[in-house]
Amino acid sequence: MAFTVKSMVGGQLKNLTGSLGGGEDKGDGDKSAAEAQGMSREECEEYQKQLVEEKMERDAQFTQRKAERATFRSHFRDKYRLPKNETDESQIQLAGGDVELPRELAKMIEEDTEEEEEKASVLGHLASLPGLDLSSLKDKAQTTLGNLKQSAEKCHIM
């Protein structure tokens, strides 16, 4: 029952809505799109130029960010001796070749490098051991070294 009602009324509703709107206004054929929006032709052209310039600026900023990220990735590839990626190199060249890392990223890399250097040292490994107090160990070593110097001064053979 619902199908028959829908098929009878539905087709007529489509015809009614199709004739009311949805098409272009054919009565004012000589009116341009700018005049329809309430702008003069010059204002519309200037607005279009402004849109194009803004798009170019956004694209340039996006390209710069992509190149910065590629530089960041290539830095870590060099650091860990991973194979180079051609897309990263092409993104860097698209941005003008010489791309510097943003300050925040450079700071992160510097901190990471300092941490790795600290962990690579003997003291870094000792500091990572649980239950070891480096300050007391350092004090004991200095005391022992001082005692050795005093005993060496007292020794007549040397």
Side-chain angles (χ1 to χ4, degrees):
M1 178 76 159
F3 174 73
T4 55
V5 171
K6 185 176 182 180
S7 63
M8 291 173 54
V9 176
Q12 293 176 359
L13 281 177
K14 285 182 184 177
N15 291 338
L16 180 63
T17 57
S19 64
L20 286 177
E24 292 186 15
D25 193 26
K26 298 176 184 176
D28 296 329
D30 56 357
K31 236 183 186 184
S32 67
E35 291 172 348
Q37 292 180 358
M39 288 192 233
S40 68
R41 184 165 291 226
E42 294 84 24
E43 289 175 339
C44 183
E45 289 174 2
E46 184 157 334
Y47 178 71
Q48 292 296 329
K49 286 180 186 178
Q50 184 181 8
L51 287 177
V52 169
E53 288 174 5
E54 288 175 359
K55 184 180 183 327
M56 289 174 58
E57 287 177 16
R58 284 193 311 269
D59 290 345
Q61 288 174 349
F62 180 70
T63 304
Q64 181 68 25
R65 276 192 232 114
K66 282 177 72 173
E68 288 171 354
R69 291 183 198 121
T71 304
F72 190 67
R73 287 190 300 268
S74 66
H75 167 71
F76 279 110
R77 282 195 179 94
D78 291 342
K79 181 177 180 179
Y80 296 112
R81 296 184 184 115
L82 298 172
K84 294 187 177 185
N85 191 346
E86 294 296 324
T87 57
D88 286 346
E89 292 176 12
S90 65
Q91 286 176 351
I92 292 170
Q93 289 178 356
L94 278 175
D98 188 30
V99 178
E100 293 184 18
L101 289 176
R103 289 183 182 149
E104 297 88 23
L105 293 179
K107 187 176 178 182
M108 286 173 46
I109 290 173
E110 187 176 314
E111 289 173 357
D112 189 32
T113 305
E114 288 174 1
E115 286 177 10
E116 287 181 4
E117 288 174 357
E118 190 176 295
K119 288 181 181 179
S121 70
V122 174
L123 291 177
H125 287 294
L126 288 176
S128 65
L129 294 174
L132 184 64
D133 186 20
L134 282 181
S135 61
S136 65
L137 186 63
K138 183 179 176 182
D139 292 339
K140 287 179 184 178
Q142 287 177 345
T143 307
T144 306
L145 186 61
N147 291 341
L148 283 175
K149 284 183 181 179
Q150 287 177 358
S151 64
E153 290 174 1
K154 291 180 184 178
C155 183
H156 298 289
I157 298 174
M158 294 178 131

